[in-house]
Amino acid sequence: MNTSNEHKEESTRSKNFLEMIIENDIQKGKNEGRVHTRFPPEPNGYLHIGHAKSICLNFGLAEKYNGKCNLRFDDTNPTKEEEEYVNSIMEDVRWLGFDWEDRLFYASDYFDQLYEWAVKLIKDGKAYVDDQSSDVISEQRGVPTRPGVESPYRNRSVEENMDLFHRMKSGEFPNGSHVLRAKIDMASPNMHMRDPVLYRIMHARHHRTGDKWCIYPMYDFAHGQSDYLEGITHSICTLEFEIHRPLYDWFLDNLIETDYRPRQHEFARLNLSYTVMSKRKLLELVNEKYVSGWDDPRMPTISGLRRRGFTPESIRNFADRVGVAKRENVIDVGLLEFSVREHLNKVAPRIFAVLDPLKVILTNYPEDKTEDLVLENNPEDTEGGTRVVPFSRELYIERDDFMEDPPNKFFRLGPGREVRLKGAYIIKCEDFKKDENGNITELYCTYDPETKSGSGVSRKVKGTLHWVSVNHCIDAEIRIYDRLFKNEDPDDGEDGKDFKSNLNPDSLKVVNGKIEPGVKEARPQDKFQFQRLGYFCVDPDSTGDKLVFNRTVTLRDTWNRMNK
RNA sequence: UGACCCGUGGUGUAACGGUAGCACUGCAGAUUUUGGUUCUGCCUGUCAAGGUUCGAAUCCUUGCGGGUCAACCA
């Protein structure tokens, strides 16, 4: 559709630091000039928009440089990981539009090899079994500003270490009684080099290896070697792993002899204003029922965004726009909203929906008449076609579109004022009725038969309103979502209160709306622009009787902004 | 008071010693049967001080500011 445009952008776009590094490596012929990345989630939760950045980066870089990208589950901790998460992660990556082809891997695929490597370190005198508790080990490790002290078990013989490690593996010892540690440097300023734990005892069933193992490798001992085994060239991760890199390299240097080496590179993770991103906090929102689940449309999870009505294209464009660098950043959530609007504007058919109905009676329109008016589905899409919308004497318009005593700048309806009903006629408000509480209940208007849309006869009127016919429209539940947090920085709670004190009490409002009848057959995930209101998406909670819509995002609203 | 990483408009991100650009936001205007879209214009920036250089956002030094690291988590 707009590929030429994308190519143009692509060729003129400046390179990020990872692209520079990769191009440099290719030029130098490093690793035979191959580019092979991986996306390595731990299956202990759902993916969120921050992961989307990483997915787009890893798969995107591979694509750009004619390389490959693997999907690898980092499943070295059986007590936290579940198959449910594996499945949701695969679904989300696919939905975003990426394909790992036949390269689906698990760190657990490599448990045998990792064990062999641990044995090698022991035999080389570079690893030892420590019998101390985690508390003692932690104590001995010291603090970043002071060196640690060496474990009394540090200088056991190779034979003793081999015997102990073997017995750890065969299940002789309870959890926590022994660990295997690398023998590196207890005085290193880098805490990760102070004899890091390689293996711990966990009598736990693993989602893939079952009961085969009761010792499991730590992240650091698994990750770089997994990269190596898969032929990864550029192992891209977030900044907090920067300090792990010397250890990543240490294992490779001490275990392998080939020239090929994966290299770890770090980038700054995505942060979004008005959003929390940590798995822990998202889990808390789910568990404590602040939201309906991981896929609640207010959640920044991929599944939440999908349900909210975001498209994969819009998320990929967003990921592209936020860029990649090493400095901490907070992206304005408005940029995400811009990205969906941009895409939906091109692809979403327009319909009329009235969220807060106010009845209009056209006093000079025949009571039994119905006209089938033909409207454009999408002015941005010449191939979008048309639809038929019934028009009759009694209509609903948006309550906001009438003011009893409107200011000059108000281009909508008021006593004696004229507006166009989009795709229909110009009408004039002659009178209105109120109930005993002063609420306006009905508007009495006249229509001008000369001004039918498309007739060529048209006076200039300032406002154009959307509408539905009272006797033809259908009811729909509309869920109006707003940002989940009141504060730009949700963690900035008053007097030490946590992020939950910043929850926006108005993040969800449910209303009963009236929509044009043609969309009766809409299916979950169908997306529309409710004209003049915003983009909406059919929710899976819809039933045959009643459609449920989620508001994805409002339209840009200069009127609303003027009044702030 | 250790090691490592990072400081470019309001927010992001470019400029590989040679005109500080792009996107989002904001503001102003044009077009518009969506106060949408589109188009045009404008506002706003190199953390500071020294040094190297014909020339520094870029290199060096110092300072200041921010981040990361002390799970048998990843």
Side-chain angles (χ1 to χ4, degrees):
Chain A
M1 180 168 58
N2 49 3
T3 40
S4 64
N5 220 339
E6 279 172 18
H7 277 292
K8 195 174 154 199
E9 272 179 40
E10 177 65 24
S11 61
T12 55
R13 219 189 66 210
S14 52
K15 294 177 180 67
N16 65 50
F17 81 103
L18 290 170
E19 293 168 328
M20 303 275 246
I21 288 167
I22 289 174
E23 289 182 15
N24 215 297
D25 290 344
I26 292 173
Q27 202 190 25
K28 286 189 306 195
K30 191 172 172 185
N31 297 326
E32 290 90 44
R34 287 186 305 115
V35 174
H36 201 152
T37 57
R38 98 270 91 110
F39 173 62
E42 181 188 14
N44 70 341
Y46 284 74
L47 258 28
H48 55 60
I49 183 77
H51 295 109
K53 175 180 178 181
S54 173
I55 293 166
C56 292
L57 225 199
N58 278 293
F59 281 93
L61 251 14
E63 194 181 343
K64 177 165 182 176
Y65 295 104
N66 294 312
K68 291 173 173 156
C69 180
N70 298 355
L71 175 61
R72 178 169 78 229
F73 288 99
D74 226 326
D75 56 351
T76 57
N77 186 348
T79 63
K80 292 192 174 173
E81 295 145 8
E82 292 173 27
E83 202 176 338
E84 177 198 350
Y85 295 125
V86 170
N87 294 329
S88 80
I89 289 169
M90 291 199 287
E91 182 188 356
D92 289 347
V93 175
R94 269 194 217 105
W95 179 76
L96 278 174
F98 298 104
D99 184 3
W100 55 88
E101 299 173 322
D102 57 349
R103 297 179 309 280
L104 170 63
F105 301 113
Y106 296 81
S108 54
D109 293 342
Y110 314 129
F111 282 175
D112 287 302
Q113 175 64 255
L114 290 168
Y115 180 81
E116 291 309 316
W117 271 327
V119 167
K120 174 176 164 57
L121 288 182
I122 293 171
K123 287 182 174 163
D124 292 346
K126 292 171 181 167
Y128 62 98
V129 173
D130 197 331
D131 302 352
Q132 303 179 105
S133 70
S134 62
D135 286 346
V136 173
I137 290 175
S138 170
E139 182 67 26
Q140 287 172 351
R141 192 150 18 225
V143 293
T145 50
R146 292 227 168 277
V149 304
E150 294 185 352
S151 165
Y153 300 97
R154 196 173 200 261
N155 294 310
R156 288 219 245 234
S157 69
V158 169
E159 292 67 33
E160 195 181 358
N161 280 319
M162 284 297 290
D163 174 59
L164 255 9
F165 188 47
H166 185 74
R167 289 163 65 195
M168 281 170 64
K169 184 197 177 200
S170 41
E172 269 187 50
F173 305 122
N175 291 353
S177 58
H178 302 265
V179 288
L180 182 72
R181 293 226 258 166
K183 193 189 285 188
I184 306 180
D185 177 9
M186 289 305 289
S188 171
N190 183 341
M191 296 294 289
H192 296 275
M193 300 301 272
R194 322 248 263 225
D195 289 11
V197 172
L198 270 31
Y199 269 90
R200 75 285 216 195
I201 300 171
M202 285 177 128
H203 291 273
R205 187 179 181 80
H206 187 278
H207 74 115
R208 300 202 85 226
T209 60
D211 293 318
K212 179 176 177 186
W213 297 90
C214 63
I215 56 171
Y216 291 94
M218 298 290 291
Y219 163 84
D220 285 302
F221 192 64
H223 202 94
Q225 290 95 302
S226 300
D227 285 340
Y228 176 80
L229 291 168
E230 292 178 16
I232 301 303
T233 55
H234 301 266
S235 182
I236 296 163
C237 62
T238 46
L239 247 30
E240 66 270 28
F241 291 100
E242 196 153 35
I243 202 148
H244 293 240
R245 188 167 5 115
L247 184 53
Y248 180 104
D249 292 334
W250 189 90
F251 288 130
L252 261 16
D253 289 342
N254 285 280
L255 292 171
I256 63 169
E257 279 148 22
T258 59
D259 288 336
Y260 151 65
R261 274 284 189 297
R263 162 60 142 103
Q264 176 181 302
H265 301 278
E266 309 84 12
F267 71 97
R269 65 166 358 118
L270 173 72
N271 297 293
L272 264 188
S273 61
Y274 298 98
T275 310
V276 296
M277 208 70 94
S278 90
K279 274 187 195 173
R280 197 208 92 224
K281 286 173 191 156
L282 295 177
L283 182 65
E284 214 170 313
L285 294 174
V286 172
N287 285 345
E288 296 172 24
K289 307 262 190 277
Y290 290 99
V291 295
S292 65
W294 284 100
D295 69 343
D296 185 295
R298 291 164 293 182
M299 292 283 273
T301 50
I302 308 286
S303 49
L305 292 166
R306 176 166 59 230
R307 189 167 175 186
R308 176 81 170 250
F310 280 72
T311 59
E313 289 90 333
S314 64
I315 293 175
R316 280 190 254 122
N317 282 146
F318 171 74
D320 211 46
R321 264 189 268 259
V322 300
V324 188
K326 295 192 76 161
R327 73 190 87 113
E328 295 292 332
N329 60 82
V330 181
I331 307 290
D332 187 339
V333 73
L335 186 62
L336 220 208
E337 296 172 349
F338 168 83
S339 298
V340 233
R341 282 194 195 103
E342 178 191 49
H343 184 222
L344 259 15
N345 176 49
K346 291 193 190 114
V347 300
R350 267 109 245 235
I351 65 166
F352 290 158
V354 176
L355 267 34
D356 188 4
L358 173 62
K359 190 184 270 189
V360 171
I361 297 170
L362 301 179
T363 53
N364 61 338
Y365 195 90
E367 293 208 21
D368 52 359
K369 187 175 176 184
T370 298
E371 285 182 84
D372 284 332
L373 302 179
V374 177
L375 280 97
E376 220 179 352
N377 278 330
N378 187 344
E380 301 299 314
D381 179 4
T382 46
E383 322 250 294
T386 57
R387 70 188 194 280
V388 170
V389 184
F391 182 86
S392 65
R393 188 171 196 264
E394 296 195 357
L395 309 168
Y396 290 121
I397 63 165
E398 209 69 59
R399 188 164 289 277
D400 281 355
D401 286 339
F402 175 82
M403 279 181 89
E404 191 179 341
D405 188 17
N408 247 341
K409 292 277 208 164
F410 188 77
F411 298 157
R412 308 175 190 178
L413 217 44
R417 292 197 180 192
E418 280 193 326
V419 294
R420 168 165 295 278
L421 295 180
K422 187 166 174 69
Y425 300 93
I426 291 175
I427 63 168
K428 182 176 186 181
C429 178
E430 309 286 357
D431 199 5
F432 60 90
K433 190 161 95 185
K434 283 184 179 180
D435 66 14
E436 59 277 12
N437 300 319
N439 299 314
I440 292 162
T441 54
E442 281 178 357
L443 262 33
Y444 302 99
C445 302
T446 51
Y447 86 111
D448 180 349
E450 300 297 303
T451 58
K452 184 170 178 176
S453 269
S455 65
V457 183
S458 184
R459 281 175 277 127
K460 283 281 172 207
V461 285
K462 277 188 285 187
T464 303
L465 308 187
H466 62 280
W467 51 272
V468 293
S469 166
V470 169
N471 289 322
H472 302 88
C473 69
I474 56 177
D475 287 334
E477 177 178 325
I478 320 259
R479 298 175 181 171
I480 300 182
Y481 293 105
D482 200 352
R483 37 191 66 151
L484 232 199
F485 292 93
K486 294 177 294 190
N487 285 31
E488 200 170 319
D489 176 7
D491 289 318
D492 182 21
E494 291 167 31
D495 348 296
K497 287 188 189 147
D498 80 346
F499 71 104
K500 286 175 291 182
S501 68
N502 288 324
L503 251 358
N504 175 8
D506 301 317
S507 62
L508 170 59
K509 279 186 208 139
V510 179
V511 302
N512 210 317
K514 308 285 185 185
I515 64 176
E516 59 175 72
V519 295
K520 207 181 315 173
E521 306 300 327
R523 311 294 309 155
Q525 278 292 302
D526 284 352
K527 295 165 181 68
F528 299 94
Q529 185 196 96
F530 288 4
Q531 209 133 61
R532 300 210 305 135
L533 297 174
Y535 296 98
F536 294 74
C537 173
V538 179
D539 189 86
D541 284 348
S542 298
T543 64
D545 298 338
K546 194 169 196 180
L547 286 171
V548 177
F549 285 90
N550 297 319
R551 185 174 76 187
T552 308
V553 66
T554 61
L555 254 29
R556 239 169 125 250
D557 188 349
T558 35
W559 169 244
N560 192 20
R561 237 181 313 142
M562 273 167 63
N563 293 305
K564 273 182 193 162

